[in-house]
Amino acid sequence: MLDILIIGGGPAAMTAALYSLRSGRTVKLIEKEAFGGQIATSPRVENIPSIASISGLDYANQLFEQISELGADFDMDEANSIEKKEDGNFIVHCNYGDYKARSVIIAAGVKHRHLGIENEDKYIGKGISFCAVCDGDFFRGQDVMVIGDANSALQYAISLSATSRHVDVVTLFDHFFAEDALIKRLRSLDNVSIYHSMESYSFNGGDKLESVSFHNKVTGEDVTMKCDGCFVAIGQIPDNERYSNLVDLDRGFIVADETMATRTEGLYVAGDCRVKQIRQVTTACGDGAIAALSANSYLMKKGY
């Protein structure tokens, strides 16, 4: 019987493992793809306190090594559901077996919604980014593009306008789905151009991204727009329905209090998969630490 089972392998999950292990708990992490999470795909990370610059993969590897040295156990598997038994313990049902634990932390993260167009995978990390906060400064003084029409896209564009030479904002529909204040602020910026009713169909370039091709839904014309970098901001995809028997969901994200506790005693959540305003590596780590300490307190109260 494990003390704490952690679902996920990103910064939130590995930080939860770190704090759980340092509390003397037996810990196992279950990850369905690769340890590191989304941060591992970032070529350079410069928003982690005390670390001036590091690749996302190196950062993830250092976290993995740190918890490995402390005795963390790992399995490559996918959690399909969680069951809470009458004795208060949990069973996590996975593809290759079941795991029993006294407490569970869900840190499964989310995926950035992709456009699903030609060459998208080819240029991720080579001009395509999904986070202006993380990667915007790499395009300082250059021409960038933001694809998206809601609050996050406009916030990205406004932020990028302060460091980039020019920002093109391109939307699929003929209007924004954002707050009026953000729209007004965006329209006031001299180095921002706005293009509505544009359906993207191809990323183009050589070794790195050079342009994006669109179909103008009003004129019927095909247009190719040059850019040094493109930020895709069309939403994030949680995958938490499988846990809905034990947690409350808000638009697919798990609801938790400030201790990372869900509505089920002994079940916690951390990182991007929970309801929150800011999704950054530092906030994910903070969530992981809180969830682990909360789980440890829960186990102590139960006499473990």
Side-chain angles (χ1 to χ4, degrees), residues 151-166:
N151 283 348
S152 292
L154 271 65
Q155 289 168 343
Y156 280 7
I158 292 168
S159 173
L160 289 165
S161 71
T163 57
S164 300
R165 182 168 52 196
H166 190 84

Side-chain angles (χ1 to χ4, degrees), residues 117-118 199-203 212-215 222-224:
I117 64 174
E118 186 177 351
E199 184 175 6
S200 58
Y201 66 85
S202 177
F203 290 104
V212 186
S213 295
F214 298 90
H215 177 73
D222 288 335
V223 179
T224 296

